[in-house]
Amino acid sequence: MDEQPEAAGAGRPLDRRAELSEFLRSRRARLKPEDVGLPDFGRHRRVPGLRREELAQLAGVSVAYYTRLEQGNGRNVSAEVLDSIARALRLTDAEHAHLTHLAKPKAHKKKPAARQQQVRVALRQLLDSMEGVPAYVAGRRSEILAWNRMAAAVFGDWSKLPPAERNWARLVFLHPEYRDLFIDWEQKAIDIVCALRMDAGCYPDDARLSALVGELSVKSEEFRRLWATHDVKEKSHGVKRLHHPLVGDLALHYEGFRLTDGSDQSLVTYHAEPGSPSAQSLRLLASWGTDAAQAVPA
């Protein structure tokens, strides 16, 4: 099973300067003076978190310089200054990378807006050979590009959806049945928004991503709330807990393998602890074949 999403509606590119400004403000607002070893004299603070002056002091730059950067002017900022600001803000590796992408965007070769992401034939063959292992290939903008029979048995028959709907962000925020499927729906939603934020930092001129963000912002209050946090992170492994309509609760370990061919695609696999009830349930789903896929609405 391997069909690529059709082009989404055109949207305005994200404003990189505004993204940089809001990201820095949000990271500064979450820090308190005592978090970074500065004295707090108990005076009323007009803004939450650190003041610009305090952050500039920690980073070793002038207040005027930092103010220009926080206003979205990252022109000619050096990697060393960004490193200092990242340390002062206590940024994670993912946040540091996001800051760098926003302040010093890389030039990307422009591609036709309607071009679909392609999955290599050998990769599709690998998916089909992974019997008993739910697996799929995800691309930019949280698009689901290809999947195997077991992924359909666990997550639903995506082939029944219009290509543009084969997208994790749309499924989680706009399809109510996925609230029932993911036991910790909130965490799944957070993970998706954080990944979209990373995409936005790398590709601020991606009109299709902008259109997706605009659509979700209009249709989902939860998405608007999470998008406004400006949180970014990368998760390559963990545990997802699902409530499957046929076999009940599943605890599945997932592993995400980013491809190194420049395609911005990842192979994501799921497995259960050997000998666990979840492993037995996966075997049961595998034996039911296509009937299991029909049980999960998509």
Side-chain angles (χ1 to χ4, degrees):
M1 303 175 186
D2 50 281
E3 300 181 44
Q4 289 78 41
E6 296 172 345
R12 292 182 180 179
L14 296 171
D15 185 338
R16 184 185 59 80
R17 290 179 59 119
E19 291 291 312
L20 174 60
S21 175
E22 291 168 12
F23 178 69
L24 285 172
R25 289 171 186 269
S26 68
R27 299 309 89 174
R28 181 165 59 86
R30 71 182 180 179
L31 290 176
K32 298 177 181 178
E34 56 266 31
D35 295 333
V36 294
L38 292 177
D40 184 358
F41 299 107
R43 293 176 297 177
H44 177 68
R45 303 177 72 86
R46 292 177 297 173
V47 294
L50 295 180
R51 299 186 180 94
R52 285 176 176 171
E53 295 83 356
E54 293 167 332
L55 198 284
Q57 176 187 344
L58 288 170
V61 299
S62 71
V63 177
Y65 188 98
Y66 177 76
T67 299
R68 286 196 300 272
L69 184 62
E70 195 173 276
Q71 289 173 344
N73 185 4
R75 185 183 307 170
N76 299 325
V77 64
S78 69
E80 290 75 17
V81 167
L82 289 178
D83 290 346
S84 296
I85 290 173
R87 286 193 296 271
L89 288 171
R90 305 296 195 265
L91 299 187
T92 65
D93 289 344
E95 290 172 332
H96 191 170
H98 185 61
L99 172 62
T100 302
H101 290 146
L102 291 175
K104 300 176 71 68
K106 293 181 179 180
H108 295 283
K109 183 178 179 181
K110 294 199 175 211
K111 300 178 181 179
R115 176 174 290 183
Q116 298 174 344
Q117 299 184 80
Q118 301 295 325
V119 178
R120 291 184 286 108
V121 172
L123 190 54
R124 295 198 297 265
Q125 293 171 343
L126 174 62
L127 283 175
D128 292 337
S129 71
M130 299 171 73
E131 298 182 4
V133 177
Y136 59 84
V137 175
R140 285 167 54 188
R141 316 175 199 97
S142 75
E143 292 174 355
I144 303 166
L145 305 177
W147 60 95
N148 64 7
R149 187 172 63 93
M150 277 303 296
V154 171
F155 298 108
D157 189 359
W158 291 322
S159 66
K160 288 189 170 182
L161 292 173
E165 291 298 309
R166 297 167 196 164
N167 179 294
W168 271 120
R170 286 196 174 96
L171 292 175
V172 167
F173 286 101
L174 304 182
H175 289 241
E177 57 271 19
Y178 279 83
R179 290 181 180 270
D180 298 328
L181 180 63
F182 287 97
I183 292 176
D184 191 351
W185 179 90
E186 176 82 5
Q187 187 58 57
K188 178 63 175 177
I190 290 172
D191 292 344
I192 289 172
V193 172
C194 288
L196 287 179
R197 272 286 180 197
M198 292 290 290
D199 268 357
C202 293
Y203 299 96
D205 296 327
D206 187 340
R208 290 175 61 183
L209 175 58
S210 178
L212 175 64
V213 170
E215 176 189 354
L216 294 173
S217 297
V218 168
K219 295 180 178 179
S220 171
E221 180 180 351
E222 292 98 334
F223 180 85
R224 290 196 301 274
R225 172 176 57 84
L226 294 174
W227 186 255
T229 65
H230 287 267
D231 288 341
V232 294
K233 63 182 175 181
E234 290 184 302
K235 290 186 69 174
S236 60
H237 59 88
V239 178
K240 279 287 179 281
R241 301 188 183 278
L242 311 174
H243 183 76
H244 195 279
L246 288 181
V247 297
D249 291 354
L250 292 169
L252 301 180
H253 295 260
Y254 68 89
E255 299 284 344
F257 305 92
R258 184 172 290 276
L259 305 186
T260 58
D261 56 4
S263 64
D264 290 320
Q265 296 175 8
S266 297
L267 171 65
V268 184
T269 66
Y270 292 78
H271 74 278
E273 289 281 354
S276 67
S278 293
Q280 182 178 355
S281 295
L282 279 185
R283 288 193 295 271
L284 188 58
L285 288 175
S287 69
W288 284 336
T290 56
D291 291 338
Q294 309 307 318
V296 183

